[in-house]
Amino acid sequence: MTTSGTSDPRVLRIWASAELAIACAAVVAIFLSVLWQVISRYVPALNWPEVGEIANYSLIVLTFIMVGYLIGNNGHIVIQVIDYVAKGRAARMAVKAVSSACTAVICALLAWEAFELIQAYPNRRTAALEIPIWILYAVPLLGFLSGTVRAIVRIFQAGHPDPLFDSAEAR
């Protein structure tokens, strides 16, 4: 249940939990990778070149997988000044609906671009770990598809007050 009294559909709440779990795993991978790199400076036998690639790609996963979560939970950058300038509930509702529609279009276009990158480079691999590049491009695709869906949901919730985003309270 959000603070506004509205509830996201169950499938979106489950998806948000999956996004948070992946983001937490990425943060742990970044921490352990950087820790490994620091330790390997003092213990050369532990030197493993691939660990830097793990940290880099974990940061990419963290960045893109949280797009939909932040849009759905009012954690993205918004222009709240318009809420104070727009007079009346109808004007605020229209501004929220239009900004959510713009967000949905932008996320959809970025998802399309990620899909095109997957199609363009199906056989490329990363340098150290030999991870297929299409897997790395799939993460932004999923993140932007999630953002598109969440923005569309926010269009229909424009009449409800926005929940306050509390980064310490992950739902």
Side-chain angles (χ1 to χ4, degrees):
M1 199 63 127
T2 61
T3 56
S4 65
T6 61
S7 178
D8 287 335
R10 181 175 173 85
V11 69
L12 288 181
R13 290 193 312 265
I14 292 169
W15 183 252
S17 297
E19 288 171 329
L20 279 177
I22 293 168
C24 289
V27 168
V28 169
I30 292 168
F31 174 75
L32 293 176
S33 298
V34 171
L35 185 64
W36 186 285
Q37 287 176 321
V38 169
I39 291 170
S40 69
R41 286 182 185 256
Y42 298 103
V43 184
L46 294 177
N47 192 15
W48 184 41
E50 289 85 353
V51 77
E53 204 169 86
I54 290 172
N56 289 338
Y57 293 132
S58 295
L59 182 59
I60 291 169
V61 168
L62 176 64
T63 300
F64 287 112
I65 206 67
M66 290 303 292
V67 169
Y69 180 84
L70 292 173
I71 290 172
N73 292 295
N74 200 32
H76 64 297
I77 298 172
V78 295
I79 304 172
Q80 293 182 346
V81 174
I82 294 173
D83 284 345
Y84 299 113
V85 174
K87 301 295 183 210
R89 179 184 161 119
R92 280 194 297 273
M93 194 169 93
V95 167
K96 287 179 185 179
V98 168
S99 67
S100 293
C102 289
T103 302
V105 168
I106 291 167
C107 283
L109 290 171
L110 290 170
W112 178 256
E113 185 61 30
F115 177 74
E116 289 294 319
L117 286 170
I118 291 170
Q119 297 295 317
Y121 303 107
N123 298 323
R124 278 184 128 174
R125 294 183 171 273
T126 62
L129 290 172
E130 296 289 321
I131 299 170
I133 290 291
W134 70 266
I135 291 175
L136 297 176
Y137 289 145
V139 174
L141 175 65
L142 291 174
F144 288 126
L145 285 176
S146 176
T148 303
V149 170
R150 303 285 178 101
I152 291 170
V153 168
R154 287 183 61 85
I155 291 170
F156 295 105
Q157 293 178 344
H160 303 287
D162 286 330
L164 295 174
F165 181 71
D166 183 6
S167 60
E169 179 189 316
R171 294 182 254 144

